[in-house]
Amino acid sequence: MQVLVLGIGNILLQDEGIGVHVVRELQRRYQIPAEVEILDGGTAGMSLFEDLMDKDYVIIVDAVHTGEPPGTVVRLADEAVPVFLQQRISPHQLGLSEVLAALVLADKKPSHLVLIGIVPEAMELSLELTAMLEPKVDLLVQQVVAELAAIGVQLLPKGSEMPTLHPCSPPAEEYR
Amino acid sequence: MTKPRSRTVKVNALARVEGEGALYVSIKGDAVQEVKFRIFEPPRFFEALLQGRLYSDAPDITARICGICPIAYMLGACQAMEDALGVVLPQPLQDLRRLIYCGEWIQSHVLHTYLLHAPDFLGYEDSIRLSHDYPGVVERALELKKTGNRIMEVVGGRAVHPVNLKVGGFYSVPRRQTVRELIEPLNWALEAALATVRLFAGFDFPDYRYDYTCVSLRQPEEYPITQGRLVSNRGLDIPIDQFTAHFSEEHVAHSNALHGRMNGGEAYLVGPIARYNNNFDTLSELARQSAREAGLEPVCDNPFQSIIVRAVETLYACEEALRLANAYEEPDAAAVEIVPHAGEGHGCTEAPRGICYHRYRLDEAGRIVEAQIVPPTSQNQKQIERDLWGVVEKNLDLAEDKLKWRCEQTIRNYDPCISCATHFLKLTLDRS
């Protein structure tokens, strides 16, 4: 099983970069098993085509505009995702909707797609998230962990890897 | 007898251009009245983010301006900082930079030519529908692009937003064996790039020519990628620190991007055609020969043929990467030591879309007090409008949808990376 967790957005534009902040935090906190790839997609747009190709599960974390109050978290799955982005609810201009549409046309669409989105408060020029979204990073990290757990991937916090280092323990892959 | 008619062509939200832009053309009778190429995004003052930060932060921050050409931003910033701090990189580290830049050229050119530009010439709406008719071609494109990505991974640590570059060199240098492993895919890529030039040579190119003022870097010994002097086909030949004395950016009401111009006011061209026209003689023998076979003269004045020029440059980048990978030995040190002090420095490299200029002023602690970045797309804005004007004039008889298509195609000739062109004023801090 191949799983991709993709955070996208421009970290120079405050809450626009929330997806990147979330995947970085995820990487900082957890040991990432071999079948899971965590990708800081930044503003790479169409360049992400191959990264998304033929994956079993793709979890995208991004800022979205839904008309709801800032800080509102939404979860969309599968068919709902490309449509959602084609309506240009996603504020950045990354061509992600084009990538997804292209993947559909090329028949290389990920089998399962989940978008975890959050409504941004501000997208001014700044490397820091707003006070509204900063505390939400933890929530979104937990949501990604839960999404992964739901498909049978358990993330272990860093520092809890000791048992696998014991000579009697099975190799890491089997342990998982 | 011409009957008076008035037409307006609007193309909102261009598909298949990185970022978003819009075009407004007004035609009255048989004359074009107005051409406006507009960019949607809110003004961005990326330079303001750098204010007060350490010199060493600039590469990673500026890399985020554009995810398509992060190496251009990182190396422009590195080079300017090294210039300000009086550091010169030893040749092996410079070679490694040239190698990773080849990776960026390959992946960016292949993405643009195959996936965004080629469908224009074949009458397909996009590359994916094209893939149903030419399955092998799209696969070749993806594999070629992957070769570029692999170089970025090996040297830069990651293909998307590389992390291994810094002022003074690299955080760590790749092992000899890892770089050698690039040779086999690059040998394949070289053949694929040759086939690409031949494929594009067979396209039908609209008849439009322009006597461009071509501006690019130039080096006597090699085709310019990471460094050189700034030259034009009109006799300009200056060191990069003279950039602002010869070029400026103007704000135009209809676009959030700045429009570049020469100080005499005229438009100029940067990017593959400008590079090629100014540096044909320093291309490899194979690249020159394949350009000739594709029907290109040493000077290309048809912007629609930029797709062939990009393919020739892709071929050259594969050859260069192969040469550098074959010659690679692990350098003694991954970076030159930096001692921060006050200074001013300039950097200019050939991004896939053309010259990308950086200038920074640092205080005694190495903190940034002034920053200026001039990306390629903003420099081409004025020339894009000129081309659109000319193309529309030549195609007044086309039906609305055909004319729209032709205008989009004209813009795509430039591979405009609109997200990085959406850029505003330089920042000057008053520290008094």
Side-chain angles (χ1 to χ4, degrees), chain A residues 84-95:
Chain A
F84 195 80
L85 292 169
Q86 272 161 5
Q87 289 168 350
R88 301 207 176 275
I89 293 167
S90 172
H92 51 69
Q93 329 249 304
L94 297 182

Side-chain angles (χ1 to χ4, degrees), chain B residues 2 24 31 72 75 79 153 166 258 322 410:
Chain B
T2 55
Y24 174 85
L75 286 187
Q79 207 184 74
E153 254 165 48
K166 66 171 185 173
L258 291 171
L322 202 50
T410 305

Side-chain angles (χ1 to χ4, degrees), chain A residues 9-13 16 20 24 27 39-51 53 88 93-95 98 101-108 125-128, chain B residues 13 15-16 18-20 40-41 44-49 53 61 63-68 107 111 115-116 126 128-129 131-132 139 142 145-146 149 158 160-161 419:
Chain A
N10 194 334
I11 55 167
L12 307 185
L13 298 173
E16 223 267 301
V20 173
R24 283 179 175 179
Q27 239 163 347
L39 183 61
D40 158 10
T43 48
M46 271 299 277
S47 290
L48 296 169
F49 189 83
E50 301 104 299
D51 298 290
M53 242 167 68
R88 301 207 176 275
Q93 329 249 304
L94 297 182
E98 276 88 353
L103 286 160
V104 171
L105 286 167
D107 205 16
K108 293 185 184 301
L125 200 63
S126 165
L127 286 162
E128 272 91 48
Chain B
R16 282 188 287 124
E18 300 291 343
E20 263 184 50
F40 277 140
E41 294 185 53
R44 292 177 176 180
F45 297 83
F46 287 124
E47 287 97 332
L49 275 180
R53 292 189 171 267
I61 291 179
R64 293 285 168 167
I65 295 174
C66 174
I68 309 293
Q107 70 96 19
L111 174 68
L115 300 180
L116 309 176
D126 57 57
I128 305 307
R129 291 189 183 99
S131 75
H132 288 302
E139 239 116 83
L142 291 175
K145 184 172 169 296
K146 208 192 272 174
N149 286 356
R158 307 178 4 170
V160 176
H161 287 303
S419 63

Side-chain angles (χ1 to χ4, degrees), chain B residues 186-246:
Chain B
L186 276 168
N187 273 319
W188 175 87
L190 191 67
E191 290 304 315
L194 272 168
T196 303
V197 178
R198 281 184 221 118
L199 173 73
F200 296 162
F203 289 173
D204 202 11
F205 297 99
D207 177 31
Y208 172 78
R209 285 170 196 284
Y210 194 99
D211 181 19
Y212 293 107
T213 296
C214 298
V215 175
S216 73
L217 292 177
R218 179 167 170 83
Q219 287 179 277
E221 305 300 331
E222 56 188 11
Y223 200 72
I225 301 178
T226 53
Q227 57 194 331
R229 285 173 67 85
L230 270 168
V231 304
S232 84
N233 56 341
R234 314 269 193 244
L236 181 82
D237 185 357
I238 54 168
I240 60 164
D241 62 10
Q242 299 290 303
F243 181 90
T244 50
H246 294 266

